[in-house]
Amino acid sequence: MVALPHPEAPALEHGDRRRRARQLRLVLAGVLLVTVLLSLAVGAAGTSLWQSLAAVLRGEAIPLSDSIVLWQIRAPRTLMGMGVGAALAVSGALMQGLFRNPLADPGIVGVSAGAGLGAITAIVLGAFLPLGLLTALGFYLVPLAAFLGSWLSTILLYRVATRSGRTSVAVMLLAGIALGALTGAASGVMVYIADDNQLRDLTFWGMGSLAGATWPKVLTGMAVILPALCAAPLLARGLNALSLGEAAAYHLGIRIQRVKNLAILAVAAATGAAVAMSGGIGFVGIVVPHLLRLVSGPDHRELLPNAALLGAALLLVADIISRVVIAPAELPIGIVTAILGGPFFLWILLRQRGVLDL
Amino acid sequence: MNAPLTHAPAAAEADEHLSGRNIRLGLRGKQILDSVDFTARPGEVTAIVGPNGSGKTTLLRCLTGEIAGQCAPGSTIRMGALDVTRAEPWLLAQRRAVLAQATSLAFPFTVLEVVRLGAEGAGGAARARQALAQVDLGHYAERYYQELSGGEQQRVQLARVLAQLDAPRGHHGPRWLFLDEPVSALDIGHQLQVMEIARAFARNGGGVVAVMHDLNLTAMFAQEVVLLNQGRVLGAGAPAEVLTDRLLETAYGCRLRIGVAPRDGLFLLPQTAEQGN
């Protein structure tokens, strides 16, 4: 860290957890690799692909049926799981930094609901768009609509909950409830006018699942998620400074308004694309950053990349559980993350009851 | 240290001043600052004093650039050659650092991590260590910031601010240390320590501007005092010229008597206040 040899050099590491965070990143990358292999190989009973996977890795040919399952079903699904998991975890971390509050999460404060309303509106009313526009947008229509929905709800939420740089937790959560109710009602209206086919789409989509993964769907989603993930590290310094408050961040040389606008955009893009692809998957955005802060500190330069890795791995694990626990049927993954994440969230609230001024 | 060895031309000297001219600022229809002229010189501790609500902190926030953009047209604030009302935040951050009255932290950073938010780049860790040692908190590096007392947190923030500036002078001239009531949460020993740090910063060529409540410490450490009342400058100059019975009586609305200690300098005690008026 210091160029010159220094008598106290070893002591410099004390109280600074960046090195630990970097070691953690290696571990997380390894964990992610293992879960990717698991996700490709494990499936409903009788469709284990370990041998085929090993053959592929050795460069040997595999049976056509295995090849189809591997490349047309499991691979896009795995990629989608990674993208959605990383998007949810990173947008949670970004939002917590933006709101200066560890409880802010797109799922909890109604931003996911806003994205959902956008997606539902696109599914139900998309057919009424001019044909030219519809073909031009293609697969992008639903992710774009979800992005718009989450963007507008994030801006609205920020306006309501933040006064002169201070976010009130109570106002933020209450505004999230109001926003959720409002978007829920609007979504209800959409469901009411939907036809039977659309209704079926909506039902499966709403429970949250990676089951519908196809290459076109995954690639359009990733085209929105990747820029948001790449923009996130650029915000790290600004979010670190913001944790001292807006005035102090300005004094440290940060263009606050630019950081905020970019963070809101990135949150909206990542949340919007994740929701559009996989529906309501909750709690990843709050569990992952919280765990990482406990282990290696809140420095966003380390937190954001680590959150992407852990979020991706965690969602793949949840997806594997959802595939095998009631095989050959499948449990919606949103239910798995809620079962894992709900108690965890309550535990955070218990731990912080004294600290947070709710 | 503060007196230049060779006499530089007056214009070059004035180029290094922090100066505000005709600063006017209204918030929600109320005039907070009215035609304030302000000058601070590098090498000196300049204190801003005045009663509650006189506009001290607002003036400081203008001078640091934080709300300089909201000043009425015709207000000018310059830090050397730099126009503070228009400067980019990162440019200002290289030349001045600001210690607020209190700083809350959103996430559980350790003390060293907080200081390192000010000290980036190569050598940042060493600079942070040094700054922590300067405020007497080197042994607290790995403690959580939120576990510390208010006074300790304030000293950690001072370390962060010192680490941001690195040295009192940079290649573009003096750097400026802005302190908003830096000692109000501290015990007397640490009050003196913090003021000594400010004095040393000035003696090494930097500039210090501090909003002060304690008139004794002001008299003891400031070379220049600006007395504000209701958004206007009531007096500016050396402590002995500004901290007078007449001016303080006008500003604070109670009768005070300045006592002069046997040695040179001023002291002032609440006991000298008289009832009435």
Side-chain angles (χ1 to χ4, degrees), chain B residues 186-224:
Chain B
L186 305 180
D187 59 66
I188 184 131
H190 288 112
Q191 287 186 343
L192 291 171
Q193 180 202 28
V194 165
M195 292 314 292
E196 286 293 350
I197 289 172
R199 171 145 70 190
F201 187 87
R203 283 195 176 146
N204 289 321
V208 178
V209 178
V211 167
M212 298 289 293
H213 253 318
D214 189 318
L215 298 177
N216 284 319
L217 286 174
T218 303
M220 198 170 153
F221 285 95
Q223 283 78 52
E224 178 86 7

Side-chain angles (χ1 to χ4, degrees), chain A:
Chain A
M1 235 163 225
V2 196
L4 294 168
H6 194 277
E8 281 176 38
L12 289 179
E13 293 302 325
H14 283 295
D16 193 343
R17 292 167 284 182
R18 285 201 79 180
R19 176 182 283 182
R20 198 196 295 176
R22 291 198 189 114
Q23 289 163 346
L24 184 65
R25 189 172 316 165
L26 285 179
V27 173
L28 290 175
V31 169
L32 180 59
L33 188 69
V34 171
T35 53
V36 165
L37 291 177
L38 268 174
S39 171
L40 288 172
V42 174
T47 52
S48 176
L49 291 179
W50 281 116
Q51 285 176 355
S52 297
L53 197 59
V56 168
L57 291 178
R58 283 196 305 268
E60 293 165 15
I62 57 171
L64 182 66
S65 60
D66 279 8
S67 166
I68 288 175
V69 172
L70 190 61
W71 295 120
Q72 297 306 318
I73 297 176
R74 297 238 176 115
R77 182 176 185 145
T78 301
L79 189 60
M80 182 153 117
M82 288 168 64
V84 168
L88 292 174
V90 168
S91 50
L94 285 175
M95 198 150 178
Q96 286 142 27
L98 175 72
F99 280 82
R100 306 188 61 228
N101 194 300
L103 290 185
D105 170 69
I108 288 167
V109 296
V111 172
S112 297
L117 176 59
I120 291 174
T121 310
I123 292 173
V124 175
L125 297 185
F128 293 109
L129 283 175
L131 198 61
L133 190 63
L134 202 57
T135 23
L137 286 173
F139 278 104
Y140 284 100
L141 177 65
V142 174
L144 271 184
F147 162 68
L148 270 181
S150 53
W151 188 49
L152 290 176
S153 34
T154 313
I155 291 177
L156 189 69
L157 192 72
Y158 193 82
R159 286 278 152 81
V160 173
T162 306
R163 283 282 143 75
S164 54
R166 292 186 63 85
T167 303
S168 148
V169 190
V171 176
M172 180 185 74
L173 295 177
L174 290 175
I177 292 173
L179 206 60
L182 202 63
T183 50
S187 304
V189 173
M190 288 297 150
V191 168
Y192 194 73
I193 47 179
D195 62 33
D196 281 356
N197 261 338
Q198 291 168 340
L199 217 53
R200 218 181 69 90
D201 285 354
L202 289 179
T203 311
F204 280 104
W205 171 85
M207 281 191 289
S209 171
L210 300 180
T214 58
W215 279 116
K217 194 173 158 186
V218 171
L219 292 179
T220 43
M222 292 304 276
V224 182
I225 287 177
L226 274 181
L229 292 185
C230 294
L234 304 177
L235 295 166
R237 219 187 122 238
L239 292 177
N240 278 347
L242 263 185
S243 64
L244 291 164
E246 273 191 33
Y250 169 79
H251 294 143
L252 280 168
I254 303 296
R255 293 183 198 182
I256 308 163
Q257 202 53 48
R258 179 184 286 195
V259 169
K260 282 196 222 160
N261 290 343
L262 202 59
I264 288 176
L265 262 181
V267 166
T271 308
V275 169
M277 281 202 282
S278 61
I281 297 179
F283 296 108
V284 177
I286 197 149
V287 170
V288 169
H290 198 87
L291 278 178
L292 289 173
R293 278 193 211 101
L294 281 180
V295 176
S296 59
D299 187 333
H300 289 88
R301 289 171 296 183
E302 310 299 333
L303 178 66
L304 291 169
N306 284 355
L309 292 173
L310 183 58
L314 194 71
L315 207 72
L316 286 184
V317 169
D319 184 48
I320 294 166
I321 293 176
S322 82
R323 272 188 266 166
V324 299
V325 75
I326 51 167
E330 230 179 68
L331 202 62
I333 189 175
I335 294 179
V336 178
T337 59
I339 289 172
L340 296 175
F344 185 84
F345 185 58
L346 289 174
W347 175 71
I348 296 177
L349 285 179
L350 270 178
R351 265 188 82 235
Q352 302 206 331
R353 208 167 32 174
V355 183
L356 286 171
D357 187 20
L358 288 166

